[in-house]
Amino acid sequence: MSLLTTRSLGFVILACLCTLARAQTGPVRYRVDLSHAAAQVISIEMTLEGVSTDSVDVRLPVWRPGLYAILDQAGTIRTLKARGPDAQPLDVVKVDKSTWRVTTGGHPRIRVAYEVWAASLDNRTRHADDTHAFMSPSTTFLYADAWRSLPVEVSLTPPPNATDWQIATGMASEPNAAGWTITAPDFDVLVDSPIEIGQHHRTTFDVDNVPHELVLWTGATPSQALRETNLYTKTPDAIAAIVRTQKAIFGTLPYDRYVFLLHCYPGARGGTEHLNSTVIQAPPEAFHDEARHRRFLSLVSHEIFHTWNVKRFRPAGLVPYDYQKENYTELLWVAEGTTSYYEDLVLVRAGLMKPDDYLKALGESIDALRQRPGNSVQSLRDSSFDAWIKYNRRNADAANSTISFYDKGALASLILDMSIRARTGNDRSLDTLMRALFERFPNPDKGYTTDDVRTILADLAGDFGEFFAHAIDGTGDLDFEAALRTCGLELHREKGDESIPDSGLTLTDQGGAAGVTEVRSPGPGTNAGLIPGDVIVAVDAHRLRVADWDKLLERRTPGDTLTITYFRNDQMRETHLTLAARPKGKLLVRRLKDADDKARAAYTTWLGQPWPGDNSGDTKP
Ligand SMILES: [Zn+2]
């Protein structure tokens, strides 16, 4: 092809693109009718303006930001119909699992109406009943690629009798004649701003003059018992302290207003970060006592930390979001792992968690990682990349073949934090890296790469090639002993060398018998030939109930052999399992009594709490 022809073709393509770019006009309007919320049905009509093509593909995302798993929520959409400006029906065909192709008939404006069955609070997707409607927009609102960057306007009409319903969302909202109108600069902001409408209890508080809202939905009027818990007394102040502590790390709050959407109902768990809001689900018990409340605050701390780590500086593999397929990144160990590292660390700095409780939890995390066979199999890099098919689609082999980019990512972040402190005389830390990432990538328009992290680290504290080779790209144990010494800490095994028997099996109740759900490999269960799905009915010719398993093991010693009778495919079998040994005591992180001033100073900076008096070191003489 000649240069001239290439240029001519380029001009034609450019001209076409310009025509297309000029054609679509905003805002994209959605009308949301909640008349049938009590039946868990949400009716939506989307209007696209400036249509200039013969057909338009409208789609629903197959996943939602914050959960790296394919959800395929298009399965809950029904009765989708399209019409022209004068209500004339337009042809619609389904072209893949989440895409509908509308034949436009040359109309410049088309309307697409559909219903969403909103019946799941799981994974914080969409749910409606006679007390509320919750919509995570990526699971509710269709979009068309060419209109994705245009402004969005959502008008919501609550059920006729829902006079006490209120609205809560991170987006701007205004009352209208029927309900509310929400606006967002584009579809991506809509996706990252869940909408909660219903019977709410709202608490507001400022952090450094920035308004924060805590909006509670319980599925009913909050009970008196709930009103007398931490939720109405300590929680707002605690959240304010968390926000303030995190702001100190990053230097500024990256929003004008923040909304905590809290779903409180039996069995609730989990949270999801969004642009300037978060959805947190917790059971009523979470507010009944200090330990449970502290765990709730850890989750709050985690989600707020995401406001910077992932909502502002975001791995390049997640920029821009591709809503129709998996978005791969090897950096979830930073996005989720480092966030997990800070969730409790921030609580300690904010005075909401005792340092000793933090160190205890740290010891348990290190112990759990060291006992996980998958730590020798999967790297953090691979755990991040394969989140879509492994961590978020766990199977019975997960402990043997995978590690969590949350858990090991948090511990790798600890190693990195200690290493930066050690190299810089405690002048810099992981806090410095976090702030540098925020300053260099303040908006998610451009994502950061592993090379960016390595370059920033090199500027801060030298080359971290070995850290990446071993902790991120490699497998196996990490040198926690050396890392912890930086802050005057050591690992100590409670009860010394004492051990207890280990079967290498995880059992669950299956009609009174013991169903094998996990077989650790290598381990005694694997050696005995047991596999997940086997059902153990007797040990040494005595019937086994799963509730008795731990007591049975307590009466044995490592090296003992058990005769196991079990069913597989309804056929009775027998095998012999020789118990292995595992440490009896917990792995503790404790302060060294002879820690020098430098280590004590590092400890104080790290935890934001003073090193206890000289006589309170934990090391026994
Ligand atoms: Zn997270």
Side-chain angles (χ1 to χ4, degrees):
M1 190 180 286
S2 73
L3 184 62
L4 186 64
T5 311
T6 308
R7 280 183 177 168
S8 304
L9 184 61
F11 176 78
V12 170
I13 291 171
L14 190 63
C16 290
L17 286 173
C18 290
T19 305
L20 280 175
R22 275 201 305 271
Q24 299 82 30
T25 53
V28 176
R29 289 192 171 83
Y30 298 90
R31 288 198 314 166
V32 179
D33 177 2
L34 299 171
S35 301
H36 302 293
Q40 304 200 290
V41 174
I42 297 173
S43 303
I44 298 178
E45 183 184 81
M46 175 177 71
T47 301
L48 298 176
E49 306 274 2
V51 178
S52 61
T53 48
D54 293 339
S55 66
V56 172
D57 286 352
V58 294
R59 311 168 185 273
L60 191 75
V62 300
W63 67 289
R64 66 152 180 73
L67 178 59
Y68 307 101
I70 299 298
L71 298 175
D72 283 337
Q73 297 290 336
T76 63
I77 287 186
R78 60 200 199 187
T79 66
L80 188 142
K81 290 187 171 59
R83 295 185 181 279
D86 298 320
Q88 53 275 62
L90 303 176
D91 286 342
V92 178
V93 291
K94 196 86 187 280
V95 292
D96 66 34
K97 63 181 180 180
S98 56
T99 306
W100 293 257
R101 181 161 296 159
V102 179
T103 301
T104 64
H107 296 299
R109 184 171 80 238
I110 62 170
R111 290 180 286 164
V112 179
Y114 58 100
E115 291 179 343
V116 180
W117 185 54
S120 176
L121 286 164
D122 290 350
N123 292 328
R124 295 159 291 286
T125 50
R126 67 276 173 284
H127 183 266
D129 63 15
D130 58 354
T131 66
H132 86 144
F134 167 72
M135 289 166 274
S136 184
S138 64
T139 69
T140 318
F141 291 89
L142 298 177
Y143 71 99
D145 285 330
W147 281 262
R148 181 173 156 180
S149 61
L150 296 177
V152 171
E153 186 181 291
V154 183
S155 60
L156 300 117
T157 305
N161 56 351
T163 53
D164 57 348
W165 282 28
Q166 301 175 53
I167 190 164
T169 177
M171 294 177 285
S173 69
E174 292 286 339
N176 62 29
W180 299 272
T181 300
I182 290 171
T183 51
D186 55 39
F187 183 74
D188 288 352
V189 172
L190 173 68
V191 158
D192 238 341
S193 308
I195 303 164
E196 165 62 52
I197 309 171
Q199 296 170 348
H200 297 159
H201 179 276
R202 186 182 305 248
T203 304
T204 58
F205 55 93
D206 284 359
V207 177
D208 298 345
N209 297 317
V210 176
H212 292 68
E213 299 170 31
L214 177 60
V215 179
L216 169 70
W217 170 79
T218 65
T221 306
S223 67
Q224 189 58 33
L226 190 59
R227 286 178 183 279
E228 289 169 359
T229 63
N230 285 317
L231 183 53
Y232 288 82
T233 52
K234 294 182 179 176
T235 304
D237 287 346
I239 293 177
I242 292 168
V243 173
R244 224 171 266 123
T245 304
Q246 297 195 3
K247 181 187 171 188
I249 295 170
F250 293 101
T252 179
L253 295 177
Y255 50 78
D256 298 327
R257 172 175 158 263
Y258 194 93
V259 181
F260 297 90
L261 302 174
L262 175 56
H263 290 162
C264 183
Y265 60 93
R269 60 191 292 273
T272 298
E273 69 278 12
H274 289 287
L275 212 51
N276 64 330
S277 61
T278 178
V279 187
I280 293 178
Q281 298 179 329
E285 311 90 82
F287 305 97
H288 287 174
D289 66 61
E290 290 308 311
R292 286 169 170 161
H293 191 238
R294 211 269 304 142
R295 285 199 291 276
F296 165 76
L297 292 177
S298 289
L299 181 56
V300 170
S301 178
H302 181 103
E303 303 307 341
I304 299 173
F305 201 84
H306 273 314
T307 309
W308 294 270
N309 186 6
V310 103
K311 290 305 165 192
R312 264 57 187 190
F313 54 95
R314 182 179 301 167
L318 301 175
V319 179
Y321 289 140
D322 184 334
Y323 293 122
Q324 293 304 313
K325 64 180 181 64
E326 294 85 349
N327 291 214
Y328 295 104
T329 173
E330 76 275 17
L331 282 160
L332 290 185
W333 73 269
V334 177
E336 293 296 352
T338 304
T339 299
S340 298
Y341 171 60
Y342 273 101
E343 65 186 34
D344 281 349
L345 184 56
V346 162
L347 295 192
V348 178
R349 290 181 185 174
L352 298 166
M353 185 177 189
K354 292 176 186 158
D356 285 0
D357 289 343
Y358 177 70
L359 298 181
K360 185 177 166 208
L362 198 54
E364 288 170 359
S365 296
I366 294 169
D367 208 10
L369 180 69
R370 286 184 164 173
Q371 291 186 33
R372 188 177 178 91
N375 191 29
S376 302
V377 177
Q378 189 184 42
S379 69
L380 263 179
R381 179 194 177 93
D382 290 348
S383 175
S384 300
F385 193 87
D386 278 339
W388 303 83
I389 57 167
K390 289 183 183 273
Y391 182 82
N392 285 320
R393 207 182 285 173
R394 270 161 284 184
N395 56 33
D397 192 46
N400 296 326
S401 57
T402 68
I403 45 102
S404 158
F405 50 82
Y406 288 88
D407 298 343
K408 189 170 181 181
L411 292 173
S413 299
L414 168 77
I415 298 273
L416 188 56
D417 195 3
M418 294 299 133
S419 185
I420 300 171
R421 289 175 190 276
R423 290 186 190 194
T424 63
N426 199 37
D427 190 40
R428 293 171 176 174
S429 68
L430 196 61
D431 293 10
T432 325
L433 173 66
M434 289 292 102
R435 189 185 279 222
L437 279 167
F438 176 49
E439 287 173 353
R440 293 198 196 180
F441 300 90
N443 298 301
D445 313 339
K446 182 177 184 299
Y448 68 91
T449 64
T450 295
D451 281 348
D452 291 323
V453 177
R454 293 179 67 148
T455 302
I456 295 172
L457 276 170
D459 289 345
L460 293 181
D463 180 59
F464 278 81
E466 198 179 320
F467 167 81
F468 278 89
H470 183 58
I472 307 303
D473 299 338
T475 58
D477 198 15
L478 303 175
D479 191 353
F480 295 105
E481 285 80 356
L484 290 168
R485 272 197 296 277
T486 307
C487 285
L489 301 167
E490 67 171 355
L491 282 173
H492 171 76
R493 176 67 69 182
E494 213 179 30
K495 299 188 187 300
D497 294 333
E498 286 185 61
S499 61
I500 54 174
D502 177 30
S503 68
L505 300 174
T506 302
L507 306 178
T508 53
D509 185 31
Q510 205 165 93
V516 178
T517 51
E518 183 183 84
V519 183
R520 298 224 164 190
S521 180
T526 299
N527 296 341
L530 292 166
I531 59 174
D534 290 343
V535 179
I536 300 175
V537 292
V539 174
D540 293 340
H542 286 79
R543 178 171 169 169
L544 176 72
R545 292 177 181 81
V546 71
D548 298 330
W549 179 244
D550 288 343
K551 283 183 187 158
L552 184 147
L553 289 184
E554 280 174 17
R555 294 194 298 270
R556 307 302 175 111
T557 55
D560 284 357
T561 297
L562 310 177
T563 300
I564 305 274
T565 307
Y566 64 102
F567 277 99
R568 181 181 298 174
N569 297 326
D570 286 346
Q571 292 190 342
M572 189 180 286
R573 296 178 172 215
E574 191 173 282
T575 186
H576 300 286
L577 184 149
T578 301
L579 294 167
R582 66 184 171 90
K584 184 176 184 181
K586 291 183 175 175
L587 189 65
L588 304 177
V589 175
R590 63 181 189 179
R591 288 177 288 273
L592 287 160
K593 195 170 183 182
D594 58 356
D596 60 21
D597 289 346
K598 203 170 94 183
R600 293 176 188 217
Y603 171 98
T604 300
T605 315
W606 174 51
L607 292 183
Q609 299 292 338
W611 181 278
D614 278 349
N615 295 327
S616 66
D618 302 326
T619 305
K620 302 288 184 292

